[in-house]
Amino acid sequence: MASRTLKRYTQGIRPIILLSVVLLASLVLMSEAIQNSEQFSLLYSWLLVFNVFALLVLLALIAINLFRLVRQYRLQAPGSRLTARLVVIFVSLAMLPVMIVFYFSLNFLNRGIDSWFDVHTETALADALELTRATLNDRKRDASRRSERIVKVLSGISDRRLPLKINGIRHNNDAFELTVLGSNGRIIASTSQAVETIFPDLPSDIVLAQVRTGEPYIGIDSIEQKGLFIRVVVAMANPESIADVRILQALYEVEAQTSELVSDVQLAYDEYRKRSYLRKPLKIIFTFTLSLVLLLSLLTAVLAAFLLAQRLVAPIRVLAIGTRAVASGNYSKHLPLASNDELGFLVKSFNDMTQKIALTQDEVQRSQIHAERQRIYLETVLGRLSSGVLTFDTEHTLRMANSAANQILGVDLVERLGESLTMLGKDFPHLTQLVESILPHLHKVDEAWREEVTIFGPAGRQALMCRGSALPAIGEDVVDSGFVVVFDDMTSQIQSQRDAAWGEVARRLAHEIKNPLTPIRLSAERLRHKYLATMDAGDAEVLDRSTRTIVEQVESMQEMVTVFSEYAKPPKLMIQPIDINNLVNSVLELYSGYKIEVKAELAPGLPFINADAGRLRQVLHNLIKNAMQSMGGNDEGIVVVTTRLRNELDRGAVEICVVDDGAGISDEIIEQVFEPGVTTKGRGSGLGLAIVKKIIEEHGGVIYAKNRPEGGASFVIHLPVENKKVPKRG
Amino acid sequence: MKIYKKNLNFLWFFISVIFVGVAEAKSFFIEHAETGLIGDTYYLDATVNYQLSDQAQEALLKGVELTFELKIEVIRKKGLLWLFNKKVSQSVQRYTLKYQPLTQQYKVLHINSGKSRNLPSLSTATWILGIVADLPLLKQEEVNPKAQYVVRLKALFDIESLPVPIRLLAYFAPGWYMSSDWYVWPLEP
């Protein structure tokens, strides 16, 4: 509060007004002092010092303001150019009239002072003085004559009788005062017209000394409170001693009127001579004072110009700063309200505008936050969906893809947002079928569609069930309109249905075939037993071969039925924690005597998995036998079983690979290799790998087959790990 | 007021020396000064020789009244360094000198006492101006007999008493800076 008050009184226009008033007062006093005003004359030098100091202060203030303005001008500060322009205009407006007034004032001053003096006046005054002096000289001569008469009279009177006679003598000679002194200056007798006079007005030592030398003194003296007198001091004889002299002083009064006139003439002459002498200094000091006044006025005007320009430009500068702030996005800028004029109204309007913009901005931000939350929520929901979701705008540009879509299609579509659907088809050939299926529907705005699409992706053949519809436009914003495509990977579902169908087929087949097989075999054996011995050698041989074939084929069919029934059998797993490496080793020991080498490459420290050890052994036997059979009698082949931990997979898994260097799997059947009935072997049931897959899936794992680049096939099993901790080995 | 005036004189003199190179002219000389104890009072007798510059004489004849000052100080010495000295008494005697054209006389006025004298010539006037006789200085009781005292005297011309028009020019003219050196002597009965 105090600092604000101080600021109000030290800045702005108030100090300039105060300074101007003080300077004006000072200049008035100086003017009075120059005109010989006794009161202010003593102050003149101080006033001069003050004004010169004020001049320096003003110069310093102007220099500071000028420096500040130049710096702001160079920095292109808001309002600096306008301030500079206003300062130049104000200074020009102030300078021109002041300089004109100064020029004419100087001329008038010099002429005015010169007009005070002229030869005639000086001569007249000198003549008047001379006349006065002549008049007084006449009076002095008259006084001298009268004094000579008095001396004659007094010369015959002794010191003792002088006091008695002197008053009469004074009266007779019309003297104001008579005093007779001894040679030593002692008063012998004295008389005065003024009765109140006790002591006579004595001559000075110098006058006495002069008179003692014999030279009389006649002069005009002004005696205080009495007026102008003619003083005559002469030496006269002492009748009582020839060697000694007496001194007479006679004072003759100059008439009051004459005295007054004499004083006036002397005063006028004295004053005129003094003024005449001071004429040149007077001109100098008047010129100096006028110049000082001019300079002070001009500098005050310049300073006022600076301050006024700054004051005028201040709201504009503030507005410019505010505009810049708004342009840079700062809507909270509140400009100070400097005045109530039009500029103040402008500032107020600006503040209202920024306030409204700020409120709108806040609202927009809140909406953005809300929209962002909605978007995150939608993304979360879409991310949790098992169905793939794609959205396209009206230009068929991909706008959104959820994680399920990425997973199903095996492409990071988030990185491809903004690309057209056609471009996606070109960049990813396995999506061509999908693109070709979707694209026609994106031209139909009014109807929802549904279509099953098969693609061949990195994970193999995938059956996708696609559904789509057009998105309605929100308001008039065409950008928000477009299409949505939702698809599900139906591959596993179809596979499960197929597996279930195959299981049912196998179960019915086993049931239907198994029943007649035993009577067939028994009938064949009975025929053999009853008729073989009775037949001749030729027929016996035919019967023997036929019945044997029947029995062998029935046995083969029984084996097949067993396998079928095995495939169709519902799982009865004996789940327990097992060490997969031990399991692999125990299986491989059975193949130690084989010509084909079967070796293990096992990663140490694998975690236990929950599984049925017997079923897993069956899996391994099937895969190893399958691998051996794929070598087609090549005894130098090698089968390798590897294990390792795959932490990078979802939930973690133990990987078991059975790798051979055989002929590999043909491309035609590699996709259906795990389906029942698919086999490359002449006498295979086609259920071996189907059972393997069934067992692995019963354990919650996955299996797939791939050909190795260096030749041979590789069957890869992933079994989930429930507890990743490595158990302590006993 | 006297202090301000002293400061102002010093200020102007300083400015003049700096900017114009004006040096103080030693136009006045104190020829003789002594003190004497009469009764219980110390009295001062002194003779000052005033030699007016041409500028001052011209101004005098043209009607300008000149003012002179005689500064008298009694100082008690307290040590070797002047810093510890103490002024026991100080006074300024002021005189004016004016030419009267009618009578062609010079009027000497002692402002302190109000006494004046008319003198026929300038030399007589300055002579009379320079005579100081029986001027009471200080009482005996003010003097500590065990202490040492000195009296110092200085005569100078008072520029500040000049008419304003000439005063400004006088500050920058060497002819107007007239003064004597300090005349110092021990206070003796």
Side-chain angles (χ1 to χ4, degrees):
Chain A
M1 186 70 184
S3 65
R4 195 184 301 168
T5 309
L6 186 67
K7 200 174 178 180
R8 198 172 58 194
Y9 284 101
T10 54
Q11 291 185 355
I13 206 73
R14 290 184 190 205
I16 293 296
I17 294 171
L18 184 68
L19 183 66
S20 303
V21 169
V22 171
L23 282 176
L24 194 63
S26 165
L27 291 171
V28 168
L29 291 177
M30 258 188 90
S31 170
E32 289 291 323
I34 290 171
Q35 291 168 36
N36 261 343
S37 165
E38 191 64 33
Q39 195 178 355
F40 299 119
S41 170
L42 295 172
L43 289 173
Y44 176 77
S45 300
W46 278 113
L47 292 170
L48 193 63
V49 170
F50 173 77
N51 283 317
V52 170
F53 177 73
L55 197 73
L56 294 174
V57 169
L58 280 171
L59 276 173
L61 287 174
I62 288 168
I64 289 167
N65 276 285
L66 190 64
F67 173 74
R68 200 180 292 162
L69 182 61
V70 168
R71 195 179 57 183
Q72 287 177 350
Y73 194 91
R74 285 185 180 166
L75 292 172
Q76 296 187 339
S80 59
R81 287 173 188 277
L82 187 58
T83 308
R85 205 172 298 161
L86 284 173
V87 166
V88 169
I89 291 168
F90 287 155
V91 170
S92 305
L93 284 174
M95 183 88 82
L96 195 64
V98 167
M99 293 309 291
I100 291 169
V101 169
F102 178 68
Y103 173 76
F104 284 104
S105 300
L106 214 56
N107 271 343
F108 289 139
L109 181 72
N110 285 325
R111 286 179 189 174
I113 292 174
D114 285 340
S115 69
W116 296 350
F117 307 96
D118 68 297
V119 180
H120 298 298
T121 309
E122 191 171 359
T123 308
L125 279 172
D127 290 347
L129 187 74
E130 196 58 39
L131 188 62
T132 309
R133 201 176 280 156
T135 306
L136 288 176
N137 283 341
D138 283 346
R139 298 288 172 86
K140 280 161 75 176
R141 277 193 290 276
D142 178 55
S144 178
R145 280 195 295 272
R146 277 189 275 171
S147 297
E148 283 173 9
R149 283 202 300 270
I150 292 169
V151 165
K152 282 180 184 173
V153 175
L154 291 176
S155 296
I157 301 171
S158 66
D159 291 351
R160 190 164 46 84
R161 290 182 58 214
L162 265 177
L164 302 174
K165 296 288 185 182
I166 193 165
N167 193 39
I169 295 169
R170 179 189 65 80
H171 194 265
N172 292 339
N173 289 284
D174 199 17
F176 182 79
E177 187 177 291
L178 284 180
T179 305
V180 178
L181 305 168
S183 59
N184 56 359
R186 182 177 58 86
I187 299 171
I188 298 169
S190 179
T191 176
S192 177
Q193 187 179 316
V195 290
E196 69 277 8
T197 302
I198 300 169
F199 294 104
D201 187 82
L202 293 176
S204 66
D205 297 339
I206 297 168
V207 172
L208 288 176
Q210 178 186 328
V211 171
R212 282 192 191 104
T213 59
E215 189 176 345
Y217 170 83
I218 304 173
I220 297 173
D221 286 345
S222 174
I223 298 173
E224 285 181 23
Q225 297 177 345
K226 287 180 181 174
L228 202 61
F229 290 87
I230 297 170
R231 187 191 297 270
V232 179
V233 185
V234 292
M236 62 181 187
N238 186 349
E240 295 174 0
S241 170
I242 298 170
D244 197 12
V245 291
R246 290 188 298 194
I247 295 169
L248 168 72
Q249 173 184 266
L251 295 176
Y252 301 96
E253 190 179 17
V254 179
E255 297 88 346
Q257 189 183 358
T258 309
S259 177
E260 196 175 331
L261 288 172
V262 165
S263 293
D264 288 347
V265 168
Q266 180 169 252
L267 191 66
Y269 182 77
D270 196 32
E271 193 62 29
Y272 187 85
R273 273 177 65 85
K274 191 164 82 175
R275 285 196 178 184
S276 180
Y277 171 70
L278 292 177
R279 176 164 59 173
K280 194 177 170 186
L282 202 60
K283 276 185 185 178
I284 292 172
I285 200 162
F286 270 142
T287 306
F288 176 78
T289 307
L290 193 63
S291 304
L292 197 64
V293 170
L294 171 88
L295 266 175
L296 285 170
S297 305
L298 205 61
L299 292 179
T300 309
V302 170
L303 187 60
F306 269 104
L307 296 178
L308 276 174
Q310 285 166 4
R311 197 179 172 86
L312 281 173
V313 173
I316 298 170
R317 188 170 61 243
V318 166
L319 269 175
I321 292 167
T323 312
R324 281 188 184 178
V326 169
S328 64
N330 179 11
Y331 300 112
S332 61
K333 187 83 179 173
H334 186 82
L335 305 182
L337 200 61
S339 59
N340 290 322
D341 55 9
E342 285 77 6
L343 285 170
F345 175 74
L346 202 59
V347 170
K348 189 174 177 299
S349 301
F350 181 88
N351 283 338
D352 291 345
M353 182 189 75
T354 52
Q355 195 177 359
K356 283 177 184 169
I357 291 176
L359 285 172
T360 312
Q361 186 73 6
D362 289 346
E363 191 63 35
V364 167
Q365 278 183 351
R366 275 197 295 275
S367 300
Q368 279 179 345
I369 290 167
H370 182 68
E372 184 66 16
R373 281 180 183 164
Q374 290 289 334
R375 193 187 64 78
I376 291 167
Y377 176 74
L378 189 63
E379 273 188 5
T380 309
V381 170
L382 289 174
R384 298 293 173 191
L385 284 179
S386 59
S387 303
V389 180
L390 301 176
T391 60
F392 300 94
D393 61 12
T394 50
E395 302 294 324
H396 307 159
T397 305
L398 182 65
R399 291 192 62 195
M400 197 207 74
N402 69 344
S403 57
N406 295 341
Q407 203 173 347
I408 292 169
L409 301 179
V411 176
D412 189 1
L413 289 171
V414 177
E415 290 184 354
R416 298 287 177 161
L417 294 178
E419 285 188 10
S420 69
L421 185 59
T422 316
M423 189 61 72
L424 285 174
K426 286 179 183 171
D427 289 350
F428 304 100
H430 71 279
L431 298 181
T432 309
Q433 185 60 39
L434 179 68
V435 171
E436 287 174 355
S437 302
I438 293 174
L439 209 51
H441 298 293
L442 299 188
H443 296 287
K444 300 170 187 172
V445 179
D446 295 332
E447 57 185 64
W449 53 273
R450 185 187 177 92
E451 187 173 336
E452 188 175 339
V453 181
T454 303
I455 62 168
F456 295 93
R461 183 171 172 277
Q462 286 175 283
L464 304 181
M465 177 57 70
C466 300
R467 296 173 301 281
S469 66
L471 290 171
I474 301 170
E476 295 177 355
D477 196 353
V478 184
V479 180
D480 288 332
S481 64
F483 303 92
V484 61
V485 177
V486 181
F487 55 91
D488 290 297
D489 189 356
M490 304 300 289
T491 313
S492 57
Q493 195 178 340
I494 291 168
Q495 188 63 44
S496 301
Q497 289 172 355
R498 191 174 291 173
D499 289 348
W502 270 108
E504 183 63 22
V505 168
R507 191 184 61 76
R508 284 178 178 273
L509 200 62
H511 181 72
E512 295 297 331
I513 294 172
K514 194 176 180 180
N515 291 340
L517 283 181
T518 304
I520 291 169
R521 184 176 178 173
L522 288 174
S523 299
E525 283 178 349
R526 185 178 292 176
L527 283 172
R528 179 188 173 89
H529 182 71
K530 191 173 180 179
Y531 298 108
L532 188 61
T534 60
M535 286 183 177
D536 57 12
D539 292 336
E541 189 184 348
V542 172
L543 181 65
D544 180 44
R545 195 168 55 239
S546 299
T547 54
R548 191 171 292 135
T549 300
I550 290 169
V551 169
E552 281 176 5
Q553 288 302 320
V554 166
E555 281 178 354
S556 176
M557 286 186 74
Q558 279 182 328
E559 280 179 17
M560 190 180 291
V561 167
T562 306
V563 172
F564 268 83
S565 64
E566 189 73 21
Y567 180 78
K569 197 186 289 179
K572 287 179 184 174
L573 300 176
M574 300 288 289
I575 299 296
Q576 59 181 347
I578 59 166
D579 184 343
I580 202 73
N581 284 349
N582 285 343
L583 183 78
V584 171
N585 283 329
S586 67
V587 171
L588 294 195
E589 276 178 9
L590 301 174
Y591 296 92
S592 57
Y594 282 66
K595 287 179 182 175
I596 295 171
E597 186 187 358
V598 181
K599 67 174 187 180
E601 289 179 4
L602 308 176
L606 292 179
F608 279 24
I609 59 170
N610 292 321
D612 184 330
R615 305 283 277 176
L616 283 187
R617 276 197 191 92
Q618 187 184 349
V619 166
L620 286 173
H621 280 304
N622 279 0
L623 290 176
I624 291 166
K625 278 180 184 173
N626 191 61
M628 284 177 166
Q629 287 167 2
S630 71
M631 290 177 189
N634 180 11
D635 294 341
E636 291 181 357
I638 184 167
V639 177
V640 182
V641 180
T642 63
T643 60
R644 61 172 176 153
L645 185 64
R646 294 291 298 273
N647 276 327
E648 72 274 16
L649 296 175
D650 189 26
R651 296 186 301 161
V654 170
E655 184 184 89
I656 306 163
C657 287
V658 179
V659 181
D660 63 63
D661 51 359
I665 309 163
S666 67
D667 289 342
E668 291 79 25
I669 62 164
I670 195 165
E671 299 298 334
Q672 294 89 27
V673 75
F674 291 105
E675 291 185 7
V678 177
T679 180
T680 56
K681 300 189 284 280
R683 296 179 63 248
S685 64
L687 285 174
L689 288 176
I691 290 169
V692 163
K693 186 173 182 252
K694 189 165 180 286
I695 293 169
I696 293 301
E697 287 178 350
E698 284 168 5
H699 282 82
V702 292
I703 183 168
Y704 59 91
K706 62 181 181 181
N707 283 319
R708 299 167 65 210
E710 57 271 33
S714 172
F715 286 83
V716 183
I717 300 166
H718 290 162
L719 289 170
V721 176
E722 294 299 328
N723 186 2
K724 292 183 186 176
K725 285 183 180 174
V726 178
K728 289 182 179 177
R729 309 277 168 178
Chain B
M1 193 63 178
K2 281 179 182 175
I3 293 168
Y4 296 149
K5 195 169 165 182
K6 181 181 172 183
N7 290 341
L8 191 65
N9 276 336
F10 178 76
L11 178 67
W12 279 118
F13 179 68
F14 181 75
I15 293 169
S16 305
V17 169
I18 294 292
F19 294 103
V20 191
V22 175
E24 196 175 20
K26 301 298 176 196
S27 306
F28 304 160
F29 304 96
I30 295 168
E31 293 176 345
H32 156 259
E34 63 178 6
T35 49
L37 181 63
I38 301 172
D40 61 346
T41 305
Y42 282 94
Y43 289 89
L44 170 70
D45 292 322
T47 308
V48 183
N49 185 348
Y50 290 98
Q51 291 183 2
L52 300 185
S53 65
D54 293 342
Q55 285 161 304
Q57 285 188 37
E58 186 191 357
L60 183 66
L61 289 174
K62 299 289 185 182
V64 176
E65 187 179 72
L66 306 181
T67 305
F68 303 87
E69 286 185 350
L70 193 64
K71 292 184 176 178
I72 307 154
E73 294 176 357
V74 180
I75 296 165
R76 180 180 174 180
K77 292 178 79 174
K78 282 194 172 179
L80 293 173
L81 293 172
W82 62 271
L83 272 173
F84 301 105
N85 292 348
K86 184 187 173 185
K87 282 182 191 173
V88 179
S89 152
Q90 61 178 343
S91 68
V92 177
Q93 301 298 316
R94 287 171 62 79
Y95 303 89
T96 60
L97 176 62
K98 184 165 173 56
Y99 176 67
Q100 295 174 318
L102 182 66
T103 58
Q104 295 175 316
Q105 288 181 328
Y106 293 86
K107 183 180 179 183
V108 176
L109 171 67
H110 182 211
I111 296 171
N112 298 57
S113 64
K115 289 180 180 174
S116 65
R117 292 181 72 173
N118 293 316
L119 298 152
S121 66
L122 178 60
S123 58
T124 313
T126 52
W127 174 57
I128 290 296
L129 186 68
I131 292 172
V132 180
D134 296 336
L135 182 71
L137 203 58
L138 76 166
K139 293 286 183 186
Q140 190 181 18
E141 62 198 26
E142 295 176 58
V143 178
N144 183 352
K146 291 178 183 176
Q148 281 190 321
Y149 294 87
V150 291
V151 186
R152 64 179 198 162
L153 193 64
K154 180 172 184 163
L156 53 95
F157 175 73
D158 183 16
I159 294 178
E160 277 298 303
S161 297
L162 283 170
V164 171
I166 203 172
R167 199 186 303 168
L168 185 65
L169 301 177
Y171 280 123
F172 299 98
W176 289 105
Y177 284 92
M178 297 177 289
S179 72
S180 72
D181 288 329
W182 282 103
Y183 187 88
V184 187
W185 74 98
L187 179 68
E188 289 171 351

